[in-house]
Amino acid sequence: MMENEGFEKKSFEEAADVYVINTCSVTDNADKECRQLVRRIQRRAPESMVVITGCYAQLKPKEIAEIPGVDLVLGAAEKFNIAQHLAALTKGDPAKIHSCDIGEVTGFNSSWSVNDRTRTFLKVQDGCDYSCSFCTIPMARGKSRSDSIENVLRNARELAANGVKEIVLTGVNLGDFGKGPDGNKKHEESFYDLVRLLDEVEGIDRYRISSIEPNLLTNEIIRFVASSKRFMPHFHIPLQSGSNRILALMRRRYKRELYADRVQSIKSLMPHASIGVDVIVGFPGETDEHFKETFDFIHSLDVSYLHVFTYSERANTVALDIEPVVPMHTRHERNKQLRNLSYMKQKYFQEQHKGQTRKVLFEGHEKNGMMEGYTDNYIRVSTPYREEWVNQIVDWNL
Ligand code: SF4
């Protein structure tokens, strides 16, 4: 957007006229990280304008505006007009805040990552109508809104024309795709409709579904992925806890039985599929027994790797009222145990596929003379760099 307004993109390490820091509220110390980055910018380019956007800017605009060196704080809707807001600024003036109540944020702005020509993250959905008790994302991103299928297809075709081979579909609550730009049901299109139509776009060889709530990952979608040549046998499904009691306290919309059923459906149709799991440890009320339930449950599931998060308190969330609070050292100990389990799962998954030939899409990035790529089922491989393999799908013996 800013390039269209005459700006030129620079690396963060270079001196620039404007720096935009896009903050994240999932990160525990967004505030600290933001301060450090602003300080670095001030040292490097004291005359530059510093703009802060992102979830943290929406949640705590005043706090951010008080950081010395910050010139502009833009909320969830206003960030799409950066150039316009910048034009009205003078360096040295007190920081300006432009943000509105998150409930009023409407509209959908499609976007995709441009760092890598091989693989692109394409945003098709934003916001979330769920109310998980630990989560601030709905407060930072607003109600569930989506792109139209027509627009997503147009973007996919454009990316294909630019040489992109793999698209990762992203959204805050991806499986809830279909609500119109005002959060209504106007589009009347489901995530299933989207994947079916994307599958027909010529030029894109691979799609991945970034992360999808288990209750929204229908058997219809699973069956479709199993029969598709373009959607990869790779799922990332948040579990968060393997205890029904804790799931209820978290206000998640499923029980562990449903999760196990989804994993079973995937594996029965695609035994080679990779399944990643998000899990939170140390949620308030999580006793040793609850944690053991989670550990044993995940141990019993045919999944490939875990992303383990240590619960941390967030302002204005319902979870703050739940007791007893789990001591920090226990949270860390539980995190360690699950990371060990993840390591074992990952090793086992790789062992299972040893000797098989699978298709790898190699990426363009060269590091220490090596290049990397992923198999269809998300096993990472690396090999000495070969120019002719960049952005190519190669048969690879694991
Ligand atoms: S589904 Fe729950 S955890 Fe995910 S963004 Fe929505 S409220 Fe947050």
Side-chain angles (χ1 to χ4, degrees):
M1 268 162 34
M2 292 187 75
E3 277 173 342
N4 291 339
E5 302 283 338
F7 286 87
E8 189 190 324
K9 194 175 157 193
K10 296 253 184 171
S11 119
F12 190 75
E13 303 308 322
E14 291 176 84
D17 298 322
V18 179
Y19 289 83
V20 181
I21 303 180
N22 194 29
T23 58
C24 173
S25 65
V26 175
T27 317
D28 205 8
N29 41 14
D31 174 47
K32 210 170 114 208
E33 282 174 14
C34 191
R35 271 170 210 280
Q36 280 171 354
L37 286 173
V38 175
R39 235 177 282 136
R40 266 171 63 192
I41 294 168
Q42 279 188 309
R43 276 199 299 270
R44 189 180 314 136
E47 292 307 312
S48 63
M49 291 288 186
V50 178
V51 186
I52 315 288
T53 64
C55 293
Y56 193 54
Q58 175 67 39
L59 288 175
K60 302 261 175 74
K62 288 206 188 85
E63 216 167 88
I64 289 190
E66 279 165 17
I67 300 176
V70 169
D71 298 290
L72 183 61
V73 182
L74 298 177
E78 292 76 10
K79 68 182 173 190
F80 295 103
N81 293 317
I82 294 187
Q84 211 178 308
H85 290 298
L86 269 172
L89 272 192
T90 313
K91 184 76 192 168
D93 283 355
K96 285 213 166 51
I97 299 174
H98 294 282
S99 73
C100 63
D101 190 273
I102 194 66
E104 289 164 24
V105 173
T106 56
F108 182 84
N109 293 276
S110 58
S111 59
W112 59 79
S113 62
V114 286
N115 293 343
D116 188 345
R117 229 165 52 99
T118 312
R119 184 157 56 137
T120 289
F121 291 83
L122 174 63
K123 175 179 139 187
V124 300
Q125 188 274 341
D126 202 349
C128 181
D129 291 341
Y130 286 19
S131 46
C132 303
S133 60
F134 52 82
C135 183
T136 55
I137 292 174
M139 293 176 241
R141 302 292 283 267
K143 53 191 157 210
S144 178
R145 286 115 55 211
S146 326
D147 210 345
S148 65
I149 289 191
E150 197 190 337
N151 211 29
V152 177
L153 292 175
R154 196 178 310 127
N155 289 339
R157 285 190 205 105
E158 192 182 325
L159 289 166
N162 287 336
V164 167
K165 292 262 170 72
E166 180 171 315
I167 289 180
V168 184
L169 298 176
T170 71
V172 170
N173 189 345
L174 190 56
D176 197 35
F177 178 91
K179 291 179 177 160
D182 299 331
N184 50 30
K185 255 286 173 199
K186 206 177 76 208
H187 286 330
E188 288 187 0
E189 294 163 332
S190 68
F191 188 64
Y192 175 59
D193 297 326
L194 178 71
V195 295
R196 265 188 317 124
L197 290 164
L198 277 173
D199 207 43
E200 284 161 26
V201 174
E202 289 299 324
I204 299 295
D205 292 325
R206 296 177 152 196
Y207 291 99
R208 293 186 196 273
I209 299 169
S210 64
S211 173
I212 184 164
E213 292 289 299
N215 49 308
L216 297 174
L217 177 59
T218 59
N219 281 330
E220 207 176 29
I221 298 172
I222 295 171
R223 275 197 300 272
F224 184 78
V225 172
S227 65
S228 155
K229 283 205 180 64
R230 293 191 162 115
F231 274 84
M232 296 294 102
H234 173 207
F235 295 85
H236 193 92
I237 320 169
L239 167 68
Q240 312 305 21
S241 173
S243 147
N244 282 340
R245 166 80 188 135
I246 299 298
L247 285 174
L249 287 174
M250 289 176 163
R251 301 195 177 174
R252 302 287 292 163
R253 299 197 182 188
Y254 52 86
K255 292 195 168 139
R256 58 189 241 147
E257 291 75 14
L258 178 132
Y259 195 97
D261 178 69
R262 292 298 185 267
V263 171
Q264 218 272 325
S265 298
I266 293 169
K267 285 302 215 180
S268 65
L269 291 171
M270 296 165 268
H272 54 291
S274 165
I275 302 178
V277 184
D278 284 340
V279 52
I280 297 174
V281 292
F283 187 78
E286 186 187 68
T287 60
D288 285 345
E289 288 70 38
H290 294 134
F291 176 69
K292 188 171 182 310
E293 256 187 273
T294 297
F295 187 97
D296 292 346
F297 181 63
I298 298 174
H299 193 268
S300 74
L301 290 176
D302 194 358
V303 295
S304 329
Y305 63 95
L306 314 177
H307 285 172
V308 187
F309 300 87
T310 300
Y311 170 78
S312 68
E313 284 74 5
R314 289 285 182 279
N316 302 319
T317 55
V318 173
L320 291 180
D321 297 329
I322 303 173
E323 287 186 329
V325 167
V326 178
M328 210 34 110
H329 65 91
T330 311
R331 297 184 206 181
H332 288 145
E333 176 52 36
R334 289 177 186 171
N335 183 308
K336 203 167 116 196
Q337 288 187 42
L338 284 189
R339 271 187 291 129
N340 286 341
L341 180 60
S342 176
Y343 179 77
M344 278 156 53
K345 290 273 181 198
Q346 215 170 342
K347 281 272 156 259
Y348 180 66
F349 186 70
Q350 286 168 1
E351 282 298 315
Q352 276 179 316
H353 293 89
K354 250 208 173 113
Q356 286 186 11
T357 301
R358 304 210 74 91
K359 297 206 178 298
V360 171
L361 173 60
F362 279 102
E363 295 166 10
H365 191 64
E366 182 182 354
K367 199 178 167 196
N368 303 328
M370 302 294 280
M371 70 196 309
E372 284 188 343
Y374 286 91
T375 62
D376 55 344
N377 59 349
Y378 211 57
I379 295 173
R380 190 165 68 187
V381 303
S382 71
T383 185
Y385 187 80
R386 286 173 68 166
E387 177 95 50
E388 68 275 23
W389 278 3
V390 172
N391 206 16
Q392 296 301 316
I393 294 175
V394 175
D395 278 329
W396 188 263
N397 201 355
L398 290 169

